[in-house]
Amino acid sequence: MQLAHRLIAAAALPFLSAAALASTTTYTNAGLFQSQVAAGAYTETFSGGTNPPVGAVNFSGGAFSYSAFAPSDIYMAGGFLGTSQIDEALTITFTSGNVNAFGANFFVTDINDDFQSVLIELTLSDGTVESFTPTSMADSYRGFTSDLAIMSLTISAPGQSLYAGLDNLTVGHTVPEPTSLLLAGLGLAGILAGRRRTR
């Protein structure tokens, strides 16, 4: 019986180790992304905001928190979050450390807050880079899920003389896959059963 428990634990370990290698999935549809996010996620619409004081701006809701930073300052008076100067990157740092799913409308604007259809680059802390050119707010949505925590995101549109921005930012956890939970449970049960027999 002890051998059977060890075999179960040994069989589950490769699957558990494989999860340690981050795998990031990108969604272009808000509804599909939202279906991958567990209950308790936090969404910020940046509505009614005014330009904050100089420096990083903090946001939090439920179990999640993050800060926004741009080198010359943050802009929020237009009902979205953006940079106050052209050609600067906007960085979101997930300070709660427990975010592995986030999504938002990503775009750039001109000085009048009008949407501009130009190439945008999103860079995640795990090295994932998503480059795209939204033609309107309707196709500016991108959502990301990962096997590991995502620590930060940078939005830029270099050389465009425009302002990087985002709106409707959702942060949260992914919905656990039943297979992963089953394998983790089997591995743990096998290890515990093996330890109990050897005492």
Side-chain angles (χ1 to χ4, degrees):
M1 189 67 156
Q2 184 176 5
L3 178 60
H5 292 297
R6 288 186 181 169
L7 288 174
I8 291 171
L13 284 177
F15 293 102
L16 296 174
S17 298
L21 302 173
S23 175
T24 303
T25 304
T26 304
Y27 298 87
T28 59
N29 178 286
L32 186 55
F33 167 75
Q34 294 288 347
S35 72
Q36 303 302 310
V37 179
Y42 165 54
T43 300
E44 179 63 56
T45 62
F46 309 106
S47 298
T50 58
N51 283 330
V54 175
V57 180
N58 298 313
F59 299 89
S60 65
F64 304 101
S65 60
Y66 56 91
S67 66
F69 175 79
S72 294
D73 207 2
I74 296 292
Y75 173 78
M76 278 191 3
F80 61 90
L81 180 67
T83 61
S84 66
Q85 296 296 317
I86 61 170
D87 293 331
E88 289 190 345
L90 175 61
T91 300
I92 306 296
T93 302
F94 301 110
T95 53
S96 56
N98 59 348
V99 174
N100 70 349
F102 74 90
N105 293 98
F106 298 99
F107 51 89
V108 295
T109 64
D110 62 14
I111 190 75
N112 298 314
D113 293 345
D114 293 327
F115 178 93
Q116 301 295 306
S117 181
V118 299
L119 181 68
I120 297 171
E121 188 170 277
L122 307 177
T123 306
L124 279 60
S125 56
D126 68 0
T128 299
V129 177
E130 171 78 1
S131 298
F132 67 105
T133 304
T135 57
S136 68
M137 284 298 283
D139 68 352
S140 69
Y141 194 89
R142 292 296 182 273
F144 300 88
T145 60
S146 178
D147 294 342
L148 299 177
I150 301 167
M151 303 310 294
S152 66
L153 154 75
T154 302
I155 308 136
S156 61
Q160 304 289 342
S161 297
L162 297 169
Y163 305 86
L166 64 89
D167 201 1
N168 306 309
L169 177 60
T170 297
V171 296
H173 295 294
T174 54
V175 175
E177 293 181 25
T179 306
S180 299
L181 292 174
L182 177 63
L183 288 172
L186 284 174
L188 184 58
I191 291 169
L192 292 175
R195 291 186 69 183
R196 197 174 299 136
R197 297 275 187 199
T198 57
R199 288 185 180 178

